[in-house]
Amino acid sequence: MAYAIDQSRCINCAWCRRECPTDTIHYFDQANRKHNIDPQFCIDCDICARVCPMDCISHEPELVPDPDSLAHAKQRARAWARDRRQLKLGIRAYAESQVVKIAGNGS
Ligand code: SF4
Ligand code: SF4
């Protein structure tokens, strides 16, 4: 199963592309300048559909990735989750260091 974009309603805002954990939503690499999902690397996570402001991404049960592509997509998603976690930890550490600095300046 995979997701697909109704390109007649897509406004190219890129929210879906920025959030997709498998990097399988494309825009710049196609002649048709509308966002497009490559179903071979879609892990069916629903993240893109939730962020789309036009509600134009839907679940299409007839689109089925081949097993090798799906396994590769899951690896990409795991790496994405690790990177996001590291980013959050980095932001938190920076925020905490700023709080300490501000508290130090106030005393
Ligand atoms: S359902 Fe998940 S993996 Fe599939 S295109 Fe949307 S965000 Fe990407
Ligand atoms: S989030 Fe929706 S409207 Fe925005 S680029 Fe993706 S499919 Fe198009």
Side-chain angles (χ1 to χ4, degrees), residues 23-96:
D23 202 22
T24 198
I25 302 178
H26 305 288
Y27 174 50
F28 297 106
D29 61 349
Q30 7 162 19
N32 170 24
R33 289 305 177 104
K34 286 286 182 172
H35 281 69
N36 181 49
I37 295 172
D38 177 354
Q40 288 304 320
F41 297 97
C42 177
I43 59 169
D44 217 19
C45 68
D46 197 50
I47 290 174
C48 56
R50 290 181 194 204
V51 299
C52 177
M54 298 303 289
D55 202 20
C56 64
I57 305 178
S58 56
H59 189 229
E60 302 293 338
E62 74 278 7
L63 296 174
V64 181
D66 68 65
D68 286 347
S69 298
L70 190 57
H72 184 60
K74 285 179 179 175
Q75 277 181 353
R76 282 190 198 174
R78 279 193 282 274
W80 174 90
R82 269 195 306 274
D83 288 351
R84 285 265 167 135
R85 184 170 152 69
Q86 288 303 318
L87 183 65
K88 272 190 189 168
L89 289 174
I91 291 170
R92 185 179 300 159
Y94 176 74
E96 283 169 0

Side-chain angles (χ1 to χ4, degrees), residues 5 9-16 35 51-54 56-57:
I5 294 172
R9 291 164 52 213
C10 172
I11 58 170
N12 284 333
C13 69
W15 275 107
C16 56
H35 281 69
V51 299
C52 177
M54 298 303 289
C56 64
I57 305 178

